[in-house]
Amino acid sequence: MTNDNGHPFSDKSVCISLVSHGLITKEHALEIFEKKEKVRANIEKKKDRRSEKMPTGVRIINPTTIVDVIISFKFSRADKQDVELDEDAIFKVLAREWDKPYKKIDPLKLDLNLVTTTIPRSFAMKHLVLPIEVENGYLVIATSNPFNSEVFEDIGRVSLMPVKTVVTSKSDIIRLIDEFFGFKRSIVEAETQFSGPSVDLGNLEQYVRLKSPDELPSNDHHIVNAVNHLFIYAFDQRASDIHIEPKRDISLIRMRIDGVLHTVYRLPKKVHSPMVSRIKNMSRLDMAEKRRPQDGRIKTAKGSVEVEIRISTVPVAFGEKVVMRVMDPDILFQDLDQLGFTPPDLERYNDMVNRPNGLVLVCGPTGSGKSTTLYSTLRRLSTPEINTTTIEDPIEMVHEEFNQIAVQPAVNITFATIMRNILRQDPDIIMVGELRDIETAQNAVQAALTGHLVLSTLHTNDAPSSIVRLLDIGIPYFLVQATLTGIISQRLVRKICPKCVESYKIDVSQLRNSGLDIKKDGQIELYQGKGCSKCRGTGYFGRTAIYEALPYSKILRNLTTQKTDLASLREAAFKENLVTLRENAIKKLLDGITTYEEVMRVTWESD
């Protein structure tokens, strides 16, 4: 890259562009020019130190630009004092100045083969170019410097297609080159080399350290690298689940992000079995057993935070399917007032769990956030003076403040059998993973009856129907009356992406015709995400819970008999000021937290 003052990517031209668009002040520009040579030298030294740690023959060869220098100053944006000036903002302005389209690349939408077979990795890294798609006969190249005309002519000759460029931040291009070329290399080599080193997994807390992309040596076992890349990529994309699914001719890898599955890779079928074997090895499963389901776990790190990954394998038509659930402590352990409770419902819930004894139920379908609510509750209640014991199938997140017991039917440790032993362990609070049968429910009720606080879950659609469910399981009505303290029901709704949120007007009658009554007339203002790079064009980023909290009042207790009627319970709950899931979802809709479509999708069952 040239530094001629007339060149669009020269130090002077870039600073002038940023000043004219209001990203930096003139004072910032002067400071940059005074110190840029010293800063540039420091950046180069850091690159040299990183290169020394990399495998022999591998060097960091990408050029240091004026943008790298500006970013290192960590200035606040001149137009937004509370926002730090970042690389994306700089390249967006430069793209506008250069009359080029800017593109924030979504890795989930890239074609692995197109990215990795069009040009060599060394060429891509040297010139910071990345083929991302074919559009109307043109090969679209992402670059942070669209003025390397000779480079693009070379790519055009090799690909036999005309080239079109889009501007992308330098760090995004480097990260994608590392991810895609590293993963592709591992997959290609793994097609002929399937072996991997054994790992000594001594106990549940076994820690597996994932290598960074810079540390992956070229002579390491390729299937190990491929699985390593998979985990790092899942953490980077905020995935809650990773699916590895065998098909007739390929192995499909999908990731669940904000509750929705996205197809990430289509891999050669040859690498499916060795990848599954590697994951089984890491999670202490029987690699030779392919005919029956197995469950295991891996403990590793996501940045500076330790996470646990739950592994489930099951035989399907074309091989073994693996599902890995990422148990992130930042999500599982939260402050209760950050989960999504309205202030009145949080007050009701706190009243339920702050009692010394009784049975509190958390209800909802699989994937509705019940574990997060329970873990967050236990962490808040747990003190040195309290003995907290849990029975889980399996243990979702190992936490040293709790005494956690994993269900193991093979040695007769079930929810039902272990409850009798727990009561001899002097517990104060007991959490039972699920009341799934009469014996478990009877023991949980007995524990609540003898002075313990018992928390558990039920799979019911709303809070009032949980009372009927307890009776259906076989708990006598008088024991329900004596032990039940309260019930909460919950769901998860996706939150509108804060970066691309926009408002729009809609007529209330249109909502009412769709089954959503917000008890207003005329037009109202709602919000939605129009889609951006941060949310991958979905308009949603992250999730929050909606709750309905039902204290087990005297009126409900009197209605709980051998002939309990669900309609009567619901009517009484409404008289007790129960705010339903849908009503609380509508509050989040009107507050601009979620969308009309999410409210309809998540709460249709509670009509």
Side-chain angles (χ1 to χ4, degrees), residues 204-224:
L204 192 66
E205 284 282 341
Q206 172 64 32
Y207 188 90
V208 180
R209 191 180 77 87
L210 298 179
K211 298 173 184 175
S212 70
D214 290 347
E215 293 178 287
L216 294 177
S218 57
N219 61 353
D220 202 352
H221 290 286
H222 302 291
I223 207 66
V224 176

Side-chain angles (χ1 to χ4, degrees), residues 247-305:
K247 304 299 180 185
R248 189 182 303 277
D249 301 313
I250 61 168
S251 179
L252 195 65
I253 295 183
R254 300 195 290 170
M255 294 184 185
R256 189 176 297 278
I257 303 167
D258 291 338
V260 178
L261 276 173
H262 299 264
T263 299
V264 178
Y265 297 124
R266 298 175 184 271
L267 303 181
K269 185 65 178 290
K270 284 184 179 180
V271 304
H272 180 81
S273 291
M275 283 188 76
V276 172
S277 295
R278 169 61 181 163
I279 291 165
K280 283 183 170 182
N281 194 351
M282 294 170 73
S283 53
R284 201 174 55 180
L285 298 181
D286 184 352
M287 288 191 289
E289 179 57 74
K290 302 179 186 295
R291 297 168 299 173
R292 63 181 178 86
Q294 297 188 69
D295 293 302
R297 65 197 312 118
I298 300 169
K299 190 180 182 72
T300 185
K302 187 183 80 170
S304 59
V305 179

Side-chain angles (χ1 to χ4, degrees), residues 147-161:
F147 304 106
N148 288 331
S149 55
E150 291 182 6
V151 171
F152 303 127
E153 287 172 6
D154 290 343
I155 295 174
R157 282 193 292 270
V158 170
S159 64
L160 302 178
M161 281 187 284

Side-chain angles (χ1 to χ4, degrees), residues 337-356:
D337 56 3
Q338 300 297 314
L339 293 179
F341 282 102
T342 62
D345 281 347
L346 181 58
E347 186 178 340
R348 287 180 165 193
Y349 183 59
N350 280 330
D351 182 61
M352 297 175 198
V353 299
N354 284 329
R355 300 186 184 188

Side-chain angles (χ1 to χ4, degrees), residues 1-5 7 9-16 33 36-37 40 65-67 70:
M1 185 204 75
T2 179
N3 260 328
D4 296 337
N5 286 339
H7 191 279
F9 208 178
S10 69
D11 296 357
K12 184 176 180 180
S13 296
V14 169
C15 286
I16 289 173
F33 266 81
K36 66 176 183 173
E37 296 308 326
R40 190 176 261 121
T65 69
I66 186 61
V67 176
I70 294 170

Side-chain angles (χ1 to χ4, degrees), residues 477-538:
Y477 74 91
F478 52 86
L479 288 181
V480 176
Q481 290 178 335
T483 57
L484 187 60
T485 300
I487 308 157
I488 65 166
S489 182
Q490 67 179 95
R491 300 288 190 277
L492 292 176
V493 294
R494 290 183 290 173
K495 295 191 292 185
I496 298 170
C497 174
K499 193 172 181 180
C500 63
V501 61
E502 62 180 8
S503 63
Y504 67 98
K505 299 280 188 181
I506 189 170
D507 198 276
V508 170
S509 61
Q510 186 178 337
L511 299 179
R512 194 174 293 121
N513 292 338
S514 301
L516 199 64
D517 186 7
I518 63 171
K519 297 179 173 60
K520 291 184 179 181
D521 292 311
Q523 281 200 330
I524 59 168
E525 187 175 48
L526 297 181
Y527 298 87
Q528 63 185 7
K530 62 183 177 182
C532 67
S533 57
K534 182 177 181 180
C535 62
R536 300 178 191 83
T538 63

Side-chain angles (χ1 to χ4, degrees), residues 288-546:
E289 179 57 74
K290 302 179 186 295
R291 297 168 299 173
R292 63 181 178 86
Q294 297 188 69
D295 293 302
R297 65 197 312 118
I298 300 169
K299 190 180 182 72
T300 185
K302 187 183 80 170
S304 59
V305 179
E306 292 185 0
V307 300
E308 295 197 22
I309 303 171
R310 259 176 36 196
I311 311 295
S312 172
T313 69
V314 65
V316 293
F318 299 108
E320 279 186 287
K321 177 181 176 182
V322 179
V323 175
M324 297 176 278
R325 170 157 288 187
V326 180
M327 313 305 297
D328 189 338
D330 289 340
I331 294 174
L332 276 175
F333 297 103
Q334 300 183 48
D335 293 334
L336 291 181
D337 56 3
Q338 300 297 314
L339 293 179
F341 282 102
T342 62
D345 281 347
L346 181 58
E347 186 178 340
R348 287 180 165 193
Y349 183 59
N350 280 330
D351 182 61
M352 297 175 198
V353 299
N354 284 329
R355 300 186 184 188
N357 56 64
L359 175 64
V360 178
L361 297 177
V362 179
C363 306
T366 301
S368 60
K370 299 188 298 295
S371 295
T372 297
T373 299
L374 284 172
Y375 271 116
S376 299
T377 302
L378 290 177
R379 190 180 71 166
R380 207 211 71 190
L381 295 176
S382 185
T383 66
E385 296 80 29
I386 296 292
N387 178 15
T388 303
T389 304
T390 73
I391 316 169
E392 304 172 62
D393 183 19
I395 294 174
E396 300 208 18
M397 172 64 71
V398 175
H399 190 62
E400 62 182 17
E401 292 182 17
F402 313 149
N403 300 295
Q404 295 170 282
I405 301 168
V407 168
Q408 300 179 67
V411 290
N412 200 34
I413 299 178
T414 65
F415 282 122
T417 58
I418 200 65
M419 279 294 292
R420 291 191 291 270
N421 302 92
I422 282 180
L423 293 178
R424 293 192 284 272
Q425 288 282 313
D426 186 30
D428 297 294
I429 300 173
I430 302 171
M431 192 270 276
V432 184
E434 183 185 347
L435 300 186
R436 58 177 60 166
D437 54 51
I438 176 60
E439 194 175 359
T440 306
Q442 283 177 335
N443 285 314
V445 166
Q446 193 63 38
L449 202 61
T450 53
H452 306 89
L453 177 64
V454 180
L455 308 177
S456 191
T457 68
L458 271 182
H459 291 291
T460 57
N461 288 334
D462 60 10
S465 58
S466 299
I467 300 171
V468 177
R469 176 71 177 139
L470 282 177
L471 298 171
D472 288 342
I473 289 176
I475 303 299
Y477 74 91
F478 52 86
L479 288 181
V480 176
Q481 290 178 335
T483 57
L484 187 60
T485 300
I487 308 157
I488 65 166
S489 182
Q490 67 179 95
R491 300 288 190 277
L492 292 176
V493 294
R494 290 183 290 173
K495 295 191 292 185
I496 298 170
C497 174
K499 193 172 181 180
C500 63
V501 61
E502 62 180 8
S503 63
Y504 67 98
K505 299 280 188 181
I506 189 170
D507 198 276
V508 170
S509 61
Q510 186 178 337
L511 299 179
R512 194 174 293 121
N513 292 338
S514 301
L516 199 64
D517 186 7
I518 63 171
K519 297 179 173 60
K520 291 184 179 181
D521 292 311
Q523 281 200 330
I524 59 168
E525 187 175 48
L526 297 181
Y527 298 87
Q528 63 185 7
K530 62 183 177 182
C532 67
S533 57
K534 182 177 181 180
C535 62
R536 300 178 191 83
T538 63
Y540 299 100
F541 189 87
R543 291 188 290 177
T544 186
I546 53 170

